[in-house]
Amino acid sequence: MIFLPSKWLRADSVSADLLTWEWTTTYDQFPSERELQESFALDFPKTFPQNKVWLLPLLSFNSPEGRRYRYLVVLRKKAAIEDGKAVQRRELPEQIWLYGYADEVLRKNDWDGNALFYRVEGGALSILAFQKGLLCFWIEESGYTHAELVEKRLKCFKEFLKEDGFMNRCDDYHWACIESENFKSPLYVLKRKFFCRAAQDPFWKKQNFSFYGQSLEELHFVENNEGKVRLPKKILVLVVVLIALWYGLRNSEFESVPPRVFDADPPELLPPEIVEKKEPRELFEVTNVTNAVSKKQSPCDASLLKINGIVANKLFLSGGKMFLPGDSLGPFKVVDIARNQVHFVCEDSRYVGEARR
């Protein structure tokens, strides 16, 4: 890779905080910008909307709780706003030099792209996790003034890798400490070199975290390929023309397939996985636990209740949807969820769905 001088890159480093945030939904739903804004505001009431926030999609994957979408959150620290001033250079978080360093090391070593990089600077610990060369986690925490605290935190993160629904797909990660002693050149020179390397990477190439001319009370959501894609007008017109051509040629003797139109630098996301709904993770049998005589033509048919699994004693899955206490499943009302039981009420009878032994 050829590195351009900073004056040609038109990119400056700015102060920002980076962290990883997840949003979970059903298997067949995609996140909308409004849903993400509302969920993020609930999770970080003191951060949003007082500060400016960007969400960059990292990846998505299926889990027992639903489909998880993982985002890299960029929290731009407060800066003076100059009204009407146009920004001629991109502004990127200064710590993306760690990303550039990791990219260079991963390309030079045969680690299959599975590695975790960490660095402690000024009491702040940064951890970057890569799987098959894909950035899938970024952590920044403060208060690590002693080596013992760092070792303890890294040990906890190793345990997290075993439990995480995506990271546990790899059994062996190479750990690499980014130490100043490893650099032959002055640290500030290396930081600029790796910052420029990261700025040319497709993940950061189109980003600009500038304040000027924009409101602080705003959350920027970079949509991914699995949701609604905002196409430039020229590409949209091209798509319409291709569709028209396809319909015009569909009755010809040759089968015509319209070419796919790609964005220049799409986010690197994993394709959705297929969920086998025909084979539930747990088998449950629903029975009537009252002695009341069933009325004729009663709508309370226990055979209609299909329970696929219970999650954290708080919700259960049925037909690809999640249900909580108080929800209704047909004529049945959910009254309680236990470790391996779900209790329902229908008319004057109580029903319980219990895992088969």
Side-chain angles (χ1 to χ4, degrees), residues 129-335:
F130 292 82
Q131 186 176 122
K132 296 182 179 180
L134 174 69
L135 177 66
C136 43
F137 225 93
W138 190 308
I139 294 179
E140 291 182 354
E141 299 174 345
S142 58
Y144 292 89
T145 55
H146 301 285
E148 294 79 8
L149 297 176
V150 176
E151 294 178 1
K152 184 178 180 180
R153 183 66 181 93
L154 295 179
K155 183 178 179 181
C156 292
F157 193 78
K158 291 179 181 179
E159 295 299 322
F160 161 77
L161 295 179
K162 300 177 183 179
E163 302 295 333
D164 183 69
F166 180 81
M167 302 293 292
N168 61 10
R169 301 178 184 182
C170 177
D171 297 328
D172 186 21
Y173 288 95
H174 187 92
W175 286 78
C177 178
I178 306 176
E179 297 180 312
S180 301
E181 291 75 10
N182 297 338
F183 304 136
K184 297 181 180 179
S185 302
L187 182 58
Y188 73 91
V189 176
L190 270 298
K191 282 186 175 182
R192 188 58 193 175
K193 169 191 172 183
F194 294 127
F195 176 88
C196 294
R197 183 186 186 97
Q200 296 178 62
D201 188 271
F203 186 77
W204 299 102
K205 194 171 184 179
K206 287 191 174 182
Q207 307 304 335
N208 182 9
F209 306 103
S210 170
F211 265 113
Y212 300 123
Q214 298 174 350
S215 170
L216 288 178
E217 299 182 358
E218 185 177 355
L219 183 146
H220 294 261
F221 168 49
V222 182
E223 298 194 42
N224 56 43
N225 287 339
E226 295 176 335
K228 177 183 177 182
V229 179
R230 298 176 179 175
L231 295 176
K233 292 183 178 179
K234 292 183 179 180
I235 298 182
L236 184 59
V237 172
L238 177 60
V239 172
V240 173
V241 173
L242 291 175
I243 293 176
L245 290 176
W246 179 71
Y247 275 104
L249 298 176
R250 61 184 301 182
N251 296 325
S252 64
E253 57 179 339
F254 300 103
E255 293 185 359
S256 176
V257 179
R260 297 181 61 188
V261 180
F262 291 88
D263 194 2
D265 294 300
E268 299 180 3
L269 295 180
L270 295 181
E273 300 175 5
I274 299 177
V275 180
E276 298 288 344
K277 295 184 178 180
K278 295 183 180 180
E279 299 182 3
R281 298 177 64 251
E282 302 179 46
L283 297 178
F284 288 78
E285 183 177 6
V286 182
T287 57
N288 189 336
V289 296
T290 65
N291 295 323
V293 179
S294 301
K295 300 178 182 179
K296 294 183 178 180
Q297 297 180 348
S298 172
C300 305
D301 185 2
S303 63
L304 300 177
L305 296 174
K306 304 295 183 181
I307 305 174
N308 302 122
I310 298 176
V311 180
N313 303 346
K314 296 181 180 179
L315 58 90
F316 71 91
L317 305 177
S318 177
K321 298 182 179 180
M322 297 182 291
F323 294 88
L324 298 168
D327 293 343
S328 295
L329 182 55
F332 297 89
K333 183 177 181 180
V334 184
V335 295

